[in-house]
Amino acid sequence: MAAEVRWPCFAAIIFIVTFEVFGNIPLRRFEYKYSFKPPYLAQKDGSVPFWEYGGNAIASAENVRIAPSLRSQKGAIWTKMKTNFDWWEVDIIFRVTGRGRIGADGLAFWYTDSKGAYDGQVFGSSDKWVGLGVFFDSFDNDNKHNNPYIMAIINDGTQEFDHQNDGSTQQMAGCMRDFRNKPFPARVKIEYYQNTLTVLFLNGMTNNEQDFEMCMRAENVILPKYGHFGLSAATGGLADDHDVLHFLTTSLHLPGLAAVPAGGLHVSEEDQRKLSQEYADYQRKLDQQKEEYHREHPEAARKDKDNEFEEWFESDNQRELRQIFTGQSQMFEVLRELNRKLDEVVGRQERTLSLLSSVQASGAQPVATGQVPGQPVLVDTIRRHEVDLVLSNQNTIVNMARDIKTLTQEVHSRSDSILQNQARQPTAQVQSVGYDMVSVINEMRDGLNVVKRDVAAASQRLGGGNGTPAGCPQQTACLSPTIFFIFAALQVAVILGYSFWRDNREAQAKKFY
């Protein structure tokens, strides 16, 4: 009996949970009049269907460039019609790229009661708006190092945007996310359902839709019942390209309620039957005409026109496969180029090692000649002790360079001291070569006086002390005046040559430093 009661309870619990989970999932409907996407985003005349843009905005077949990477540029794009649904979800794919380390000013998403300007003060649109603004701010005005930043601000038409504080005093919620210069386009989903605003963000590091992360969620958000969607961007002293690739709008409806557009036409059942009958008759006539044409042109019957035209189009899976193949081809090209460069580096390294080995072999032992044909050539590689020898030589060279640097510094300091000593001389005459010639002459005079005293003492010893010259001993040769003067002249020449050599060396050292 207990088992008979337990199973109905389990079934009731499963039914309640399923109803709570799946009963609140809204009905979704794609709104093409409030969306744009490539290819053929812009028409031949440059217009975007159901949208209008202005300022510095540029529309192409692949994207809409809201503001180009030039200084002081502003642009915006707005829907022509107001929405006719209460709840919505917007999926935006965009790129913000620039050459600078930081960018400016940023991109903005709008849902407002009326369209804004195309060259306004708030990210290219009007201030004091009525509705919602989601800002992708890439410039740090308040210098708090909290940019790039994503924030949502609701305005009732009375508040001015706080530029000095980057709107931090007015934001409802936000998150710090980097969306500049990413390998893949960044993506954001903004959902407004039952007065709850949710912002999901994908930073562009991957192209996987499962990588969305929660940026913000706010409840009890009251927005205008119907409004215009818009995008705007602006640049300042710094500039980025603000490109929007997709803008996909989906209307959300409560479960169990049909998604009937506001102001839509209601067709009665009788009119529906008439329209269905007319469509069936037209289809039948079209089939008859096809059969008659095939009978008259049997060669054309072998070709399926529908398949022929289908070749010009591709499905979503084909497009995704083509993108994957293109990405893999690019990766293969890059890997092949890297492999080629790696082979080149390895070849250079092998040639260098072979040269080192040949130099070592020629210096250590004679090179073997007369090698047997067909015998493989043994390429010797560098050994550990050779590496240690190279490192020790490098250390020796570094120490010698350090000693030379110390010596040159010492010479420089001595030359400075010599200049200071010359400046303290009474004459205060500083020679251009950095040496005092007066001190050299004084040294020469002192040397000559010493030589004279030595000569006088020697002559006294030879004369016996009475002042009368005596004959020289037979064992010792006498010093003649000619030899004395020759010796004195040589000494003076040596002293002068040394002084001039030292002056030139000090002058060259000063020029070197």
Side-chain angles (χ1 to χ4, degrees):
M1 185 66 182
E4 295 177 356
V5 175
R6 189 182 301 116
W7 285 110
C9 293
F10 287 161
I13 292 173
I14 293 173
F15 176 77
I16 293 173
V17 172
T18 305
F19 179 78
E20 290 293 333
V21 173
F22 296 99
N24 294 327
I25 296 178
L27 300 176
R28 306 171 66 87
R29 177 182 176 182
F30 177 69
E31 302 291 343
Y32 69 94
K33 293 184 179 180
Y34 305 92
S35 307
F36 60 78
K37 64 176 182 178
Y40 312 116
L41 189 151
Q43 303 299 314
K44 293 183 178 180
D45 57 354
S47 62
V48 179
F50 308 108
W51 293 75
E52 55 186 12
Y53 61 92
N56 300 116
I58 304 171
S60 64
E62 299 297 330
N63 58 50
V64 177
R65 178 159 291 178
I66 310 298
S69 58
L70 299 174
R71 293 183 178 181
S72 303
Q73 301 290 300
K74 297 177 182 180
I77 182 171
W78 292 89
T79 56
K80 295 180 179 179
M81 301 179 297
K82 281 190 174 183
T83 58
N84 50 19
F85 38 84
D86 296 334
W87 319 115
W88 43 264
E89 180 187 86
V90 173
D91 188 359
I92 305 173
I93 301 178
F94 65 96
R95 279 185 180 273
V96 178
T97 55
R99 295 182 297 175
R101 184 176 57 86
I102 56 176
D105 283 338
L107 183 72
F109 162 80
W110 303 94
Y111 176 76
T112 56
D113 183 65
S114 59
K115 292 185 290 187
Y118 298 101
D119 55 353
Q121 299 297 324
V122 182
F123 296 96
S125 187
S126 302
D127 202 349
K128 295 183 179 182
W129 67 94
V130 178
L132 171 67
V134 179
F135 304 140
F136 301 84
D137 191 357
S138 56
F139 186 74
D140 192 6
N141 288 299
D142 54 3
N143 198 21
K144 292 183 178 180
H145 305 288
N146 57 349
N147 290 84
Y149 195 81
I150 303 174
M151 73 183 79
I153 298 179
I154 296 178
N155 198 342
D156 57 357
T158 60
Q159 301 178 5
E160 292 184 357
F161 182 72
D162 188 4
H163 290 278
Q164 298 298 326
N165 297 316
D166 285 333
S168 58
T169 59
Q170 302 169 326
Q171 68 174 357
M172 180 174 52
C175 62
M176 186 175 177
R177 297 290 185 273
D178 189 8
F179 48 82
R180 295 185 66 250
N181 296 329
K182 297 302 179 181
F184 296 97
R187 193 166 182 172
V188 62
K189 284 186 179 181
I190 305 172
E191 180 184 290
Y192 179 62
Y193 182 65
Q194 292 185 343
N195 297 332
T196 300
L197 181 65
T198 305
V199 178
L200 303 176
F201 182 71
L202 195 154
N203 60 3
M205 295 303 296
T206 63
N207 201 22
N208 187 4
E209 295 185 4
Q210 303 299 327
D211 293 339
F212 273 102
E213 56 183 354
M214 178 71 70
C215 177
M216 55 159 289
R217 181 181 177 87
E219 298 181 354
N220 299 324
V221 178
I222 306 300
L223 297 180
K225 187 174 181 60
Y226 304 118
H228 291 272
F229 290 119
L231 292 168
S232 67
T235 62
L238 301 174
D240 285 334
D241 283 327
H242 300 80
D243 299 331
V244 178
L245 286 72
H246 287 204
F247 190 101
L248 307 178
T249 304
T250 303
S251 60
L252 306 178
H253 305 274
L254 296 174
L257 298 180
V260 179
L265 297 177
H266 298 277
V267 182
S268 62
E269 295 181 359
E270 184 179 358
D271 293 336
Q272 288 182 359
R273 286 195 298 270
K274 290 181 179 179
L275 292 174
S276 300
Q277 186 64 31
E278 291 179 0
Y279 177 76
D281 296 339
Y282 175 76
Q283 191 70 28
R284 186 169 54 255
K285 292 179 181 179
L286 182 61
D287 294 338
Q288 292 176 359
Q289 292 177 359
K290 284 183 178 179
E291 292 177 358
E292 292 177 358
Y293 178 79
H294 289 164
R295 285 194 299 268
E296 295 176 358
H297 303 82
E299 69 280 358
R302 291 189 294 268
K303 295 183 180 180
D304 190 356
K305 296 299 183 180
D306 296 335
N307 295 333
E308 181 181 358
F309 287 110
E310 286 179 359
E311 295 178 357
W312 297 92
F313 302 94
E314 60 180 0
S315 62
D316 295 337
N317 295 331
Q318 292 175 347
R319 185 181 300 109
E320 186 175 359
L321 289 174
R322 179 175 55 80
Q323 292 175 354
I324 293 173
F325 178 75
T326 303
Q328 290 181 349
S329 300
Q330 294 176 356
M331 293 171 62
F332 177 74
E333 293 294 334
V334 173
L335 289 175
R336 187 168 63 180
E337 183 68 18
L338 290 176
N339 191 12
R340 186 185 64 80
K341 291 184 179 179
L342 183 60
D343 292 339
E344 183 179 355
V345 171
V346 171
R348 290 182 179 178
Q349 184 179 7
E350 291 179 352
R351 288 195 298 271
T352 304
L353 292 176
S354 63
L355 291 175
L356 289 175
S357 301
S358 62
V359 170
Q360 180 185 2
S362 62
Q365 58 186 1
V367 180
T369 59
Q371 186 177 359
V372 178
Q375 182 179 359
V377 179
L378 299 178
V379 179
D380 191 10
T381 59
I382 189 168
R383 297 183 177 85
R384 181 62 188 176
H385 69 277
E386 296 174 351
V387 176
D388 296 336
L389 181 60
V390 172
L391 294 177
S392 62
N393 292 334
Q394 289 182 351
N395 293 330
T396 304
I397 293 172
V398 171
N399 294 330
M400 291 178 63
R402 189 180 297 111
D403 295 338
I404 293 172
K405 183 179 180 181
T406 304
L407 180 61
T408 53
Q409 290 178 355
E410 183 179 357
V411 171
H412 184 66
S413 62
R414 287 186 179 182
S415 62
D416 291 339
S417 62
I418 290 173
L419 290 174
Q420 293 176 2
N421 293 332
Q422 290 177 354
R424 287 195 295 268
Q425 293 295 329
T427 57
Q429 295 178 357
V430 180
Q431 301 295 332
S432 60
V433 295
Y435 189 78
D436 192 4
M437 297 300 297
V438 178
S439 61
V440 174
I441 295 173
N442 291 332
E443 290 179 0
M444 292 172 59
R445 186 183 296 112
D446 294 338
L448 291 175
N449 291 331
V450 172
V451 171
K452 287 180 180 180
R453 285 196 302 269
D454 293 339
V455 171
S459 62
Q460 288 178 2
R461 286 196 300 271
L462 292 174
N466 54 3
T468 60
C472 294
Q474 296 178 0
Q475 298 84 357
T476 307
C478 295
L479 179 65
S480 64
T482 304
I483 296 175
F484 168 72
F485 285 112
I486 292 173
F487 176 76
L490 289 175
Q491 185 177 8
V492 171
V494 169
I495 294 173
L496 290 175
Y498 174 74
S499 64
F500 283 114
W501 175 79
R502 188 167 60 179
D503 292 341
N504 293 331
R505 183 178 179 182
E506 291 178 355
Q508 292 177 358
K510 291 182 67 179
K511 290 181 179 180
F512 178 76
Y513 285 95

